[in-house]
Amino acid sequence: MRHLLRILPFVPCLGLAACSGGSGGGAGNSAPNTTGAVLVVVDTATGSDAMVQFQVDAAVLEHADGSTTPNLLANPHLVTLADPTGEADGLVLRDAPSGDYTTLHLLLVPSSGAALQPNGAILAANSVVDLAVPITDGLQHTSLGTSWLVIGHNGAPPPVGSTATWVPQMSARADGSAIDLGGLDVAFVQSPQVTARSRVLDDSLVRIEFAAGCAFASDDGVQHAGRDDFLRSLGDDQLRVRAELRRDGRCIASEVHRSGRNDNPRLIGRVTALEPATTAFVMDVQAQNGRGGWTLLPTRETVRVDASQAQLRRPNGGTIAFADLQVGNLVKVQWTSRSTPTGELPLLVAREVEVTGSAMAMHPEWQGRVQSVDTVANTLVVVPRNNDPIFVQGVSVASVTLAVAATTTLERRARQGGGRTAITLDDIVPGSDRIWWRGSVTGPTTIDATWIRVREE
């Protein structure tokens, strides 16, 4: 810890609203050069209704021998670590030296945390100074290219209605794990792929490819006859994708949604009243999200939203009807115009309203060593690998039993390189296979696995 604290003196923020998020500015016609950078995508889903931000003062990568890089963060950066809608945030670590890395360290500014509560109150949030994020499968980075790293939560979510200390338990996701990415401005199209700029990553370029059977949608309701038809429709648009994000920056989309470009900051808040006759609702605005990132508002603003021409959808992309809205829903509003009628609330005409019925569930990802396989019961037992504990709902366990269904994705990663092949349960080798998995916890030591990857030690 001493060598980390010498990297950069802390630069305290005088107020969260004044702290810098991303680089800001318009996208222009070119993206900044990120060769040599590590682009960190933060999966903010925790299952909590609290939205939590911290000021990150420095970021370093650690080698297996404990040595670290210099600080890779150009400026202090306000990062959202927990968001009820699960919307991803990000950090750009520039000029990272070539190397194999095992841990990402985020140095948080003391007393810089803020937690937006469901009622709009902003409470202080405390945490550790050095937030260590293990990269369990390692990050092989070259300064001649750009690497992408997704990090997400495995431990207890932030508390609601409390200023208690929250220490996020996070880990890097395996190469090619699924993530939802929004705020992708189309840069250019070169069939069969499209290149876009990520707003949460300082307009860094991401290559979007399309998996077989990818679902295409547009907020204007146009039905696309496959990939080529979709690509021909693209102009000055913005994309939202559900995809496997590879460490080399390739984004293999299984779902993609197109909407018109809109640079107005999105508003986030709670519905306080519904007006079905006019397809409008009243909301308390608690925060806004512009190109520079989220800003929590110290004072709530009450506005009226005309949703008659808007698409209403869930964070996972599913569309809903106005009748599905409820008082108390958390909403994110993308708007096209704003006015203030005499004697009335400010009126915003919405183009898209994202509605969260309940906080997005956490997407934990575990790793360990395969102890045994039962091909009759379709289960396997996993134990900790080396000294890395397995936590299930915050409790360290000696072993975990994974239930494998017909719908579970099983794959083997090559010992060297990133090649992956589909396998069956018979192909998993107890005692010599390392394993990563995702799934739903069904008991203190049982999990229904949805995705499994193994690799020979």
Side-chain angles (χ1 to χ4, degrees):
M1 184 61 196
R2 288 193 298 272
H3 68 279
L4 288 176
L5 292 177
R6 288 199 299 267
I7 293 168
L8 185 70
F10 283 122
V11 183
C13 281
L14 297 179
L16 285 178
C19 290
S20 171
S23 63
N29 294 316
S30 63
N33 180 17
T34 55
T35 300
V38 175
L39 306 176
V40 181
V41 178
V42 182
D43 181 349
T44 63
T46 65
S48 171
D49 282 322
M51 178 179 177
V52 183
Q53 296 179 324
F54 284 96
Q55 188 81 357
V56 178
D57 205 29
V60 301
L61 290 165
E62 180 180 342
H63 299 274
D65 64 4
S67 62
T68 65
T69 65
N71 174 38
L72 302 175
L73 198 61
N75 298 292
H77 193 105
L78 188 61
V79 177
T80 300
L81 292 182
D83 183 340
T85 68
E87 182 172 355
D89 203 353
L91 286 166
V92 178
L93 311 185
R94 299 190 183 277
D95 301 319
S98 298
D100 293 347
Y101 299 107
T102 59
T103 308
L104 167 67
H105 292 270
L106 302 179
L107 275 66
L108 308 183
V109 176
S111 304
S112 70
L116 176 63
Q117 304 299 303
N119 63 2
I122 298 176
L123 303 179
N126 302 305
S127 192
V128 293
V129 172
D130 176 18
L131 179 58
V133 182
I135 309 172
T136 58
D137 61 341
L139 172 64
Q140 292 76 46
H141 172 71
T142 171
S143 61
L144 299 178
T146 300
S147 298
W148 289 69
L149 190 68
V150 179
I151 65 174
H153 296 273
N154 295 327
V160 173
S162 169
T163 57
T165 296
W166 177 49
V167 180
Q169 187 183 61
M170 306 185 76
S171 68
R173 300 318 192 201
D175 183 18
S177 289
I179 187 73
D180 293 323
L181 288 176
L184 301 174
D185 295 328
V186 173
F188 54 89
V189 177
Q190 187 174 13
S191 186
Q193 66 183 31
V194 59
T195 299
R197 303 181 183 92
S198 171
R199 294 190 177 195
V200 300
L201 291 165
D202 290 352
D203 290 332
S204 298
L205 295 177
V206 56
R207 305 190 307 277
I208 303 173
E209 302 173 15
F210 305 97
C214 179
F216 299 94
S218 298
D219 63 359
D220 54 12
V222 173
Q223 300 296 314
H224 297 283
R227 180 196 65 198
D228 293 341
D229 181 53
F230 179 80
L231 292 178
R232 284 192 294 269
S233 74
L234 293 180
D236 189 20
D237 291 318
Q238 190 173 106
L239 303 178
R240 182 176 66 252
V241 300
R242 173 73 172 172
E244 291 183 2
L245 183 57
R246 304 286 175 85
R247 293 275 173 85
D248 62 5
R250 288 184 300 142
C251 197
I252 316 300
S254 57
E255 300 175 21
V256 59
H257 182 275
R258 175 180 68 89
S259 59
R261 178 78 172 271
N262 187 328
D263 289 329
N264 293 328
R266 282 192 305 160
L267 306 182
I268 181 172
R270 300 276 173 175
V271 175
T272 59
L274 297 169
E275 302 176 4
T278 57
T279 322
F281 62 88
V282 178
M283 68 177 289
D284 281 345
V285 180
Q286 302 168 339
Q288 66 177 20
N289 185 14
R291 186 168 288 277
W294 283 109
T295 300
L296 304 183
L297 303 182
T299 304
R300 285 175 285 175
E301 180 187 21
T302 302
V303 300
R304 185 170 175 265
V305 178
D306 177 359
S308 59
Q309 304 299 315
Q311 181 189 62
L312 278 68
R313 66 174 185 85
R314 296 295 188 190
N316 63 6
T319 58
I320 63 173
F322 185 86
D324 296 320
L325 270 179
Q326 297 180 9
V327 171
N329 279 157
L330 178 68
V331 292
K332 291 182 177 180
V333 176
Q334 206 168 67
W335 52 279
T336 57
S337 66
R338 175 177 176 139
S339 61
T340 306
T342 303
E344 299 181 17
L345 293 172
L347 175 65
L348 289 93
V349 177
R351 189 186 72 179
E352 180 181 272
V353 180
E354 182 180 301
V355 184
T356 303
S358 58
M360 288 289 287
M362 189 182 297
H363 310 129
E365 186 173 296
W366 298 270
Q367 68 99 23
R369 180 174 57 84
V370 179
Q371 183 182 65
S372 63
V373 177
D374 187 334
T375 57
V376 176
N378 288 325
T379 61
L380 52 86
V381 176
V382 178
V383 295
R385 176 181 177 270
N386 298 333
N387 296 318
D388 298 328
I390 298 175
F391 289 96
V392 178
Q393 296 183 325
V395 178
S396 178
V397 297
S399 66
V400 174
T401 300
L402 306 184
V404 179
T407 55
T408 304
T409 299
L410 292 94
E411 61 184 23
R412 178 174 293 278
R413 181 178 177 180
R415 183 67 181 86
Q416 300 293 332
R420 292 189 291 272
T421 56
I423 60 172
T424 65
L425 201 57
D426 293 334
D427 299 315
I428 298 177
V429 183
S432 62
D433 270 347
R434 185 177 178 183
I435 184 172
W436 293 263
W437 75 94
R438 285 188 176 189
S440 302
V441 175
T442 55
T445 60
T446 56
I447 295 173
D448 285 348
T450 57
W451 171 86
I452 289 175
R453 176 182 294 168
V454 297
R455 191 190 76 184
E456 183 184 357
E457 284 283 14

